[in-house]
PDB file of all heavy atoms in Angstrom:
ATOM      1  N   GLU H  73      -3.712  23.117   2.060  1.00 93.00           N
ATOM      2  CA  GLU H  73      -2.750  23.219   0.968  1.00 93.00           C
ATOM      3  C   GLU H  73      -1.776  22.052   0.995  1.00 93.00           C
ATOM      4  O   GLU H  73      -1.411  21.489  -0.040  1.00 93.00           O
ATOM      5  CB  GLU H  73      -1.984  24.541   1.061  1.00 93.00           C
ATOM      6  CG  GLU H  73      -2.846  25.770   0.837  1.00 93.00           C
ATOM      7  CD  GLU H  73      -2.046  27.061   0.949  1.00 93.00           C
ATOM      8  OE1 GLU H  73      -0.796  26.977   0.995  1.00 93.00           O
ATOM      9  OE2 GLU H  73      -2.658  28.139   0.988  1.00 93.00           O
ATOM     10  N   LEU H  91       8.641   1.309 -13.270  1.00 92.00           N
ATOM     11  CA  LEU H  91       8.455  -0.134 -13.189  1.00 92.00           C
ATOM     12  C   LEU H  91       8.171  -0.727 -14.560  1.00 92.00           C
ATOM     13  O   LEU H  91       8.730  -1.768 -14.931  1.00 92.00           O
ATOM     14  CB  LEU H  91       7.309  -0.452 -12.221  1.00 92.00           C
ATOM     15  CG  LEU H  91       6.983  -1.926 -11.986  1.00 92.00           C
ATOM     16  CD1 LEU H  91       8.207  -2.673 -11.473  1.00 92.00           C
ATOM     17  CD2 LEU H  91       5.827  -2.072 -11.001  1.00 92.00           C
ATOM     18  N   THR H  92       7.326  -0.078 -15.329  1.00 91.00           N
ATOM     19  CA  THR H  92       6.994  -0.556 -16.671  1.00 91.00           C
ATOM     20  C   THR H  92       8.231  -0.619 -17.544  1.00 91.00           C
ATOM     21  O   THR H  92       8.440  -1.580 -18.303  1.00 91.00           O
ATOM     22  CB  THR H  92       5.937   0.352 -17.321  1.00 91.00           C
ATOM     23  OG1 THR H  92       4.769   0.382 -16.499  1.00 91.00           O
ATOM     24  CG2 THR H  92       5.556  -0.147 -18.700  1.00 91.00           C
ATOM     25  N   LEU H 113      -0.522  -1.283 -12.807  1.00 89.00           N
ATOM     26  CA  LEU H 113       0.393  -1.844 -13.802  1.00 89.00           C
ATOM     27  C   LEU H 113      -0.329  -2.851 -14.680  1.00 89.00           C
ATOM     28  O   LEU H 113      -0.228  -2.807 -15.915  1.00 89.00           O
ATOM     29  CB  LEU H 113       1.571  -2.509 -13.087  1.00 89.00           C
ATOM     30  CG  LEU H 113       2.545  -3.294 -13.962  1.00 89.00           C
ATOM     31  CD1 LEU H 113       3.311  -2.362 -14.877  1.00 89.00           C
ATOM     32  CD2 LEU H 113       3.518  -4.102 -13.101  1.00 89.00           C
ATOM     33  N   THR H 130       1.427  -0.045 -33.716  1.00 53.00           N
ATOM     34  CA  THR H 130       1.855  -0.045 -32.322  1.00 53.00           C
ATOM     35  C   THR H 130       2.713  -1.271 -32.028  1.00 53.00           C
ATOM     36  O   THR H 130       2.352  -2.392 -32.388  1.00 53.00           O
ATOM     37  CB  THR H 130       0.639  -0.050 -31.374  1.00 53.00           C
ATOM     38  OG1 THR H 130      -0.162   1.102 -31.653  1.00 53.00           O
ATOM     39  CG2 THR H 130       1.084  -0.008 -29.919  1.00 53.00           C
ATOM     40  N   PHE H 171       6.521  -5.223   5.680  1.00 94.00           N
ATOM     41  CA  PHE H 171       5.170  -5.761   5.781  1.00 94.00           C
ATOM     42  C   PHE H 171       4.563  -5.858   4.389  1.00 94.00           C
ATOM     43  O   PHE H 171       4.580  -4.874   3.636  1.00 94.00           O
ATOM     44  CB  PHE H 171       4.284  -4.879   6.666  1.00 94.00           C
ATOM     45  CG  PHE H 171       4.590  -4.973   8.130  1.00 94.00           C
ATOM     46  CD1 PHE H 171       5.098  -3.890   8.822  1.00 94.00           C
ATOM     47  CD2 PHE H 171       4.363  -6.154   8.828  1.00 94.00           C
ATOM     48  CE1 PHE H 171       5.388  -3.978  10.169  1.00 94.00           C
ATOM     49  CE2 PHE H 171       4.643  -6.254  10.178  1.00 94.00           C
ATOM     50  CZ  PHE H 171       5.157  -5.157  10.855  1.00 94.00           C
ATOM     51  N   ALA H 209       3.043  -9.171  16.011  1.00 89.00           N
ATOM     52  CA  ALA H 209       3.278 -10.399  16.775  1.00 89.00           C
ATOM     53  C   ALA H 209       2.123 -10.717  17.715  1.00 89.00           C
ATOM     54  O   ALA H 209       1.816 -11.882  17.976  1.00 89.00           O
ATOM     55  CB  ALA H 209       4.581 -10.274  17.562  1.00 89.00           C
ATOM     56  N   ALA H 219     -13.127 -12.270   7.239  1.00 41.00           N
ATOM     57  CA  ALA H 219     -13.660 -10.925   7.503  1.00 41.00           C
ATOM     58  C   ALA H 219     -13.858 -10.175   6.201  1.00 41.00           C
ATOM     59  O   ALA H 219     -12.910  -9.933   5.473  1.00 41.00           O
ATOM     60  CB  ALA H 219     -12.706 -10.152   8.415  1.00 41.00           C
ATOM     61  N   LEU H 223     -17.107  -0.745   0.979  1.00 40.00           N
ATOM     62  CA  LEU H 223     -17.099   0.713   1.092  1.00 40.00           C
ATOM     63  C   LEU H 223     -18.180   1.309   0.208  1.00 40.00           C
ATOM     64  O   LEU H 223     -18.727   0.643  -0.667  1.00 40.00           O
ATOM     65  CB  LEU H 223     -15.726   1.273   0.686  1.00 40.00           C
ATOM     66  CG  LEU H 223     -14.600   1.072   1.715  1.00 40.00           C
ATOM     67  CD1 LEU H 223     -13.317   1.696   1.196  1.00 40.00           C
ATOM     68  CD2 LEU H 223     -14.970   1.690   3.045  1.00 40.00           C
ATOM     69  N   LEU H 252      14.719   1.481 -10.072  1.00 94.00           N
ATOM     70  CA  LEU H 252      15.246   0.318  -9.370  1.00 94.00           C
ATOM     71  C   LEU H 252      16.433   0.697  -8.493  1.00 94.00           C
ATOM     72  O   LEU H 252      17.292   1.481  -8.898  1.00 94.00           O
ATOM     73  CB  LEU H 252      15.675  -0.764 -10.370  1.00 94.00           C
ATOM     74  CG  LEU H 252      14.597  -1.334 -11.304  1.00 94.00           C
ATOM     75  CD1 LEU H 252      15.176  -2.481 -12.112  1.00 94.00           C
ATOM     76  CD2 LEU H 252      13.368  -1.779 -10.539  1.00 94.00           C
TER      77      LEU H 252
END
Side-chain angles (χ1 to χ4, degrees):
E73 294 180 11
L91 181 57
T92 302
L113 173 68
T130 302
F171 287 114
L223 285 181
L252 300 186

